[in-house]
Amino acid sequence: MSKMCRAIFLIIAMLLLISPQNFLSQENRQVSHETAYVFARASSFEESTQFGPRIDELLIKMPADFELLETDEIHIADWPLPKELVDRWSKPPYNETIALAKYAQTVMYQLDINNNETIPTYSGWRSPTSYTQFRQAIAHLVNRTRIITEILNGSGMPLTTPIFPWLEKWFNPNADAYPYNPIEAANILDEAGFVQGSTPNPYYDPSKPGSAQFIRVYPPGHEKAGQDLDPLIFYVRFDHPEMNSTGYIIRDELLSLGIPVEIPRIEIQEMILKVMCYGDYHLYTGCWSLGIEPTYLYGLYHSEQYWKPGYCYNYNNVHDDELDYWLEKLLYATNQDEAAVACREAQRRLAEIVGIIPLWAPIKVKAYRNDLRGVVNEESFGVNSWWTFVNAHPKDVKIGGTIRYGISYEIGSLNPVCSSGTYSDWLVLDKIYDTLIKRDPYNVTEAVPWIAKSVEVQTWNGNNTKLVFELNDNICWHDGVKLTSEDVKFTIEYIQSFWDAPMWGHSLPDFYHHVADVDHVETPDPYTVIIYMNSPRIWSLYDVGEVPILPRHIWENITEPWGFQPDPQLVGTGPFKFSEYVNGSHVLLIANREYFKFFTPRVQLKPKMLRITKEMEQLACVLETCIFEIQSFFNIADINVTLIIQDNRTVLHLIYTSIGDQNNNGVPDFTTYFSSHEIIGYVLFHLGENARNYKFFHGFAFPMNLTVSGKIGKIGNITFEKSDKITVTSSVPAIPR
């Protein structure tokens, strides 16, 4: 089974644990399909003179209850909060000491549609869901706005494709082919021959658009042409409240349109077998936990990924020649541009044929003590990201101190080659072992060179991928030995050597599928690694680049890489060194002061394109403004920002200026003057006659003084006066509606 497929796993039961009042304001829940640009230039960083993390120690407590945040026994927690805690910690006195941070998960809830010609229960005639037009009509009956508003209480992001909107490199914003429209659904059914018959529809509602007075019939040419439709078999996950409620909303829409539906109540395991192994269903409320790279589209929707009997990922039997073409182009793309085009075209085609109907991605909340500075709320992951622990520090301790990190489960092992598979293992190990590349926390589709200072993607042996990594020459293992290209080569070959582990009753190494396609590795000098792949895939960069590198001088003596902790010292090159593990209590890591990097990360202003609601449009038109939300996580110096509207004409230029070193400790200080270091507020910029061309941007910066033209007035704690500097004195509430 490929690494790509292994990365996809079915969520059997997931509870959405978020409070509506702590998600984005009503104005910015919908993702815009317009294009906007924000360009930023970071300059004159005043870097720390200290290598490694800002803190001295990271104490990882396990298993840790969320309530330890209330008593200050931990500073940050690893798991999304249950709704009751979100509600409680949103109010005084808890919100005075605990900060809540939202993030969207790469989890897709969807309406699965069986594309097979027949299903076992109705094996003698063609299934209506095998008709493209029938599936298109169903798509027009899915009211995502209602689902997110009434069922999720705003704690979800609508999905129109299986690619998440914040992954802008891959996302196709024009793939929403069938928005909610019951009248259009009825028209499509009529044109396809699924017309109303003579049997009265008991669910007919003359006040509801598109409602059918009679039950619809099979179309001409069908084995049962002219006869009433048999009830659709719709399996709804009753064990998941939101999926259950969504299923019944969709059922009611189908019934109103004259399509009979039954929802059998059977055990969950039996339901999964009927759907994923036997194909004996028409509709199913499904869910996938997905990844960042869009190659999962191939595993889920390429026709070769369907087979019977047995379980397969493409259990809906989505099959379409054009879709297959673009999915193959995506999987075997040799560069980013090819991949982006193929990915967008695959989304377009999947939406056109309605292979499945994406519904929503959940918005979750994680928590940390608000006296913790430098927290990085990573896309798709949240505040307990790797970047937080190298950048964060207690409020009054710029360099040094301890962060207490609570994780929900006891670790299963401290083994970087063959971990226990427990989620908690890598919450520890990823801070000890480093990789060739990292992910930009605010744009996770982008690779950041790490152990490697540069990488080139080339070809060899026809069109197969070749990766050339140039390593930093100042990296040492925790025991003082220098890291070289031989360590990288050894890591790949060592992991590959255990390809037959299952034959001997052992599990494959964690990252085996990341390196399974490697043909061979060359090391022409101590700091150059050339990796030759057996296929043409740009994705090899991420496969190989995210493998934790092992020290050859340690692991070449470990012939059996299984067990709890094959290397007792856990020698890595990461920002933290292993100190101690106490079963059922904690792991203590100490800062690696011989680390090869400073931690004053670069600043990136990344646009988040959000739909402006009518209330915001009215406010903006009155004030003739553009709205810009500002967040901060890093200390910065000066940033120049240019806002550009669609015709590429500059409408505003401004400069953010730091307030300097207020505490005389060599670190630019921005937090002294804010009651909240994370959300600073909403700032309005004058656009004059171009007011209706504004966009809503979401950037990452830490401004103190802004110069702006035009008079605005006052919102919250920000005062705007013509040609004056704007001073932010505290956090600002959302724009009123």
Side-chain angles (χ1 to χ4, degrees):
M1 189 182 298
S2 69
K3 171 254 174 183
M4 170 198 64
C5 289
R6 283 171 59 88
I8 306 171
F9 61 92
L10 183 66
I11 300 294
I12 300 301
M14 180 177 292
L15 299 177
L16 299 178
L17 306 173
I18 187 169
S19 172
Q21 59 265 38
N22 291 288
F23 175 42
L24 301 170
S25 59
Q26 182 70 32
E27 290 85 357
N28 52 356
R29 285 183 183 146
Q30 302 291 327
V31 176
S32 171
H33 293 166
E34 298 177 345
T35 301
Y37 304 89
V38 177
F39 299 96
R41 178 179 60 82
S43 63
S44 63
F45 283 107
E46 184 176 354
E47 291 192 330
S48 167
T49 58
Q50 177 168 273
F51 285 89
R54 296 187 185 279
I55 55 173
D56 288 334
E57 294 182 338
L58 177 59
L59 181 64
I60 303 175
K61 305 187 73 171
M62 58 190 177
D65 295 327
F66 287 121
E67 285 76 4
L68 296 180
L69 277 166
E70 291 185 5
T71 57
D72 201 21
E73 294 178 69
I74 60 174
H75 293 109
I76 189 167
D78 71 322
W79 204 250
L81 299 179
K83 182 180 183 301
E84 57 269 21
L85 281 183
V86 174
D87 291 342
R88 186 164 90 205
W89 291 350
S90 301
K91 306 180 180 94
Y94 303 104
N95 62 0
E96 297 170 5
T97 56
I98 297 175
L100 304 181
K102 305 166 292 290
Y103 70 103
Q105 289 184 324
T106 50
V107 172
M108 176 180 70
Y109 290 88
Q110 77 273 354
L111 179 65
D112 283 317
I113 307 179
N114 193 339
N115 289 222
N116 280 293
E117 288 286 312
T118 62
I119 70 170
T121 296
Y122 302 137
S123 60
W125 54 90
R126 183 176 176 182
S127 166
T129 55
S130 71
Y131 289 81
T132 301
Q133 300 99 316
F134 196 89
R135 298 195 301 270
Q136 291 169 342
I138 294 176
H140 275 308
L141 296 178
V142 174
N143 189 341
R144 294 178 181 85
T145 301
R146 182 183 174 192
I147 292 169
I148 289 174
T149 302
E150 295 183 12
I151 298 175
L152 304 179
N153 294 316
S155 60
M157 177 179 291
L159 295 181
T160 55
T161 91
I163 301 295
F164 301 96
W166 62 92
L167 305 180
E168 294 164 8
K169 179 188 291 185
W170 313 125
F171 176 62
N172 185 345
N174 301 311
D176 186 8
Y178 304 99
Y180 177 66
N181 189 335
I183 294 177
E184 186 59 28
N187 292 338
I188 290 174
L189 290 174
D190 289 343
E191 292 172 5
F194 291 94
V195 297
Q196 298 182 48
S198 58
T199 303
N201 178 14
Y203 302 98
Y204 170 60
D205 181 357
S207 67
K208 181 174 174 53
S211 188
Q213 190 171 355
F214 301 97
I215 299 296
R216 293 184 179 273
V217 299
Y218 287 103
H222 191 274
E223 296 88 343
K224 299 180 70 174
Q227 298 181 42
D228 288 351
L229 289 173
D230 294 286
L232 298 184
I233 300 174
F234 187 3
Y235 286 114
V236 173
R237 291 298 295 265
F238 60 84
D239 58 324
H240 187 291
E242 290 82 5
M243 294 172 76
N244 185 63
S245 298
T246 296
Y248 279 91
I249 283 181
I250 294 172
R251 182 206 65 171
D252 291 347
E253 294 281 354
L254 291 163
L255 292 173
S256 174
L257 210 63
I259 300 174
V261 182
E262 64 176 26
I263 298 181
R265 182 86 173 200
I266 61 176
E267 294 295 326
I268 295 300
Q269 289 304 317
E270 183 183 358
M271 183 186 301
I272 291 172
L273 287 173
K274 283 185 174 290
V275 171
M276 298 179 189
C277 293
Y278 309 143
D280 197 7
Y281 71 104
H282 291 104
L283 303 173
Y284 172 67
T285 52
C287 177
W288 287 104
S289 177
L290 304 171
I292 304 301
E293 272 71 66
T295 49
Y296 58 76
L297 292 177
Y298 182 94
L300 291 175
Y301 308 119
H302 192 280
S303 61
E304 290 186 355
Q305 300 301 309
Y306 172 81
W307 58 83
K308 284 289 178 280
Y311 172 81
C312 62
Y313 288 110
N314 184 13
Y315 53 82
N316 291 303
N317 192 15
V318 177
H319 55 280
D320 177 77
D321 289 344
E322 183 184 354
L323 178 61
D324 281 354
Y325 170 82
W326 289 116
L327 291 175
E328 290 163 14
K329 287 285 189 182
L330 171 64
L331 185 63
Y332 296 108
T334 57
N335 60 64
Q336 300 273 349
D337 291 339
E338 282 182 23
V341 170
C343 186
R344 293 189 182 104
E345 289 298 311
Q347 292 169 73
R348 172 192 58 78
R349 186 57 183 163
L350 181 64
E352 287 174 352
I353 66 171
V354 194
I356 54 104
I357 302 175
L359 299 174
W360 77 85
I363 303 296
K364 297 293 187 177
V365 174
K366 289 182 178 178
Y368 61 98
R369 297 287 296 188
N370 64 11
D371 56 356
L372 197 62
R373 297 293 183 258
V375 172
V376 180
N377 192 8
E378 182 176 340
E379 275 187 348
S380 308
F381 191 81
V383 294
N384 62 315
S385 72
W386 183 90
W387 297 94
T388 285
F389 297 105
V390 296
N391 187 61
H393 57 90
K395 176 182 177 181
D396 298 323
V397 184
K398 297 295 184 183
I399 301 295
T402 299
I403 289 179
R404 298 182 296 276
Y405 177 25
I407 61 178
S408 305
Y409 299 102
E410 173 71 58
I411 61 171
S413 73
L414 289 170
N415 185 338
V417 176
C418 296
S419 71
S420 69
T422 303
Y423 165 79
S424 302
D425 290 7
W426 281 101
L427 295 181
V428 176
L429 293 169
D430 71 347
K431 297 160 186 63
I432 299 171
Y433 295 91
D434 254 344
T435 53
L436 293 168
I437 63 173
K438 295 290 186 188
R439 300 277 183 163
D440 184 324
Y442 298 131
N443 189 1
V444 291
T445 60
E446 295 297 328
V448 178
W450 205 250
I451 285 180
K453 64 181 179 182
S454 68
V455 58
E456 282 187 46
V457 181
Q458 302 175 0
T459 59
W460 77 291
N461 192 24
N463 207 30
N464 289 350
T465 298
K466 179 171 74 172
L467 303 171
V468 181
F469 292 96
E470 294 294 331
L471 308 183
N472 286 286
D473 61 4
N474 62 336
I475 302 176
C476 289
W477 296 100
H478 293 160
D479 59 4
V481 176
K482 199 106 175 193
L483 176 142
T484 71
S485 55
E486 290 299 323
D487 293 300
V488 179
K489 182 176 189 291
F490 168 80
T491 298
I492 294 171
E493 293 174 349
Y494 185 76
I495 293 172
Q496 283 184 321
S497 71
F498 296 101
W499 62 271
D500 60 347
M503 298 172 59
W504 306 101
H506 297 295
S507 60
L508 283 168
D510 288 15
F511 292 88
Y512 175 79
H513 293 283
H514 286 240
V515 300
D517 193 47
V518 174
D519 184 272
H520 66 283
V521 182
E522 293 179 353
T523 54
D525 63 61
Y527 301 106
T528 303
V529 183
I530 305 175
I531 302 173
Y532 297 83
M533 310 302 294
N534 283 316
S535 61
R537 297 177 71 246
I538 185 63
W539 315 110
S540 301
L541 168 63
Y542 301 96
D543 288 345
V544 174
E546 294 184 313
V547 173
I549 304 303
L550 303 171
R552 175 179 176 175
H553 65 285
I554 301 289
W555 284 85
E556 66 184 352
N557 300 313
I558 300 175
T559 58
E560 295 191 0
W562 300 283
F564 182 83
Q565 192 174 343
D567 174 14
Q569 306 304 317
L570 290 180
V571 175
T573 60
F576 289 94
K577 296 180 179 182
F578 175 71
S579 178
E580 69 175 9
Y581 163 67
V582 177
N583 185 27
S585 175
H586 67 270
V587 173
L588 178 64
L589 305 180
I590 59 175
N592 176 13
R593 292 298 171 222
E594 290 75 42
Y595 200 57
F596 70 106
K597 280 187 180 289
F598 296 111
F599 276 106
T600 305
R602 63 186 172 82
V603 170
Q604 181 181 53
L605 288 179
K606 177 175 177 283
K608 291 286 189 181
M609 294 165 283
L610 303 169
R611 182 172 298 159
I612 306 299
T613 65
K614 182 178 293 185
E615 293 88 351
M616 293 180 71
E617 183 173 287
Q618 292 171 348
L619 175 64
C621 288
V622 168
L623 297 176
E624 296 183 328
T625 61
C626 176
I627 304 170
F628 196 98
E629 181 186 355
I630 298 174
Q631 289 193 2
S632 67
F633 297 106
F634 298 145
N635 293 334
I636 65 172
D638 298 328
I639 299 180
N640 294 322
V641 180
T642 302
L643 273 63
I644 298 178
I645 58 175
Q646 275 186 306
D647 63 0
N648 288 333
R649 183 168 57 83
T650 300
V651 295
L652 177 69
H653 181 77
L654 59 137
I655 298 175
Y656 296 1
T657 306
S658 73
I659 61 175
D661 181 8
Q662 298 294 312
N663 294 325
N664 299 314
N665 59 6
V667 180
D669 188 348
F670 296 83
T671 61
T672 304
Y673 295 87
F674 302 102
S675 62
S676 169
H677 73 288
E678 183 184 351
I679 303 297
I680 297 179
Y682 293 87
V683 181
L684 304 180
F685 300 115
H686 184 67
L687 290 181
E689 62 185 19
N690 297 306
R692 291 192 175 275
N693 292 323
Y694 66 83
K695 302 290 183 291
F696 188 98
F697 301 99
H698 185 166
F700 298 93
F702 213 173
M704 180 60 184
N705 296 319
L706 309 179
T707 301
V708 63
S709 62
K711 111 173 155 68
I712 305 298
K714 183 175 182 180
I715 290 185
N717 296 318
I718 296 184
T719 300
F720 304 86
E721 294 186 4
K722 186 173 183 178
S723 299
D724 282 349
K725 288 186 176 180
I726 301 169
T727 300
V728 183
T729 55
S730 67
S731 60
V732 180
I735 293 176
R737 287 179 276 140

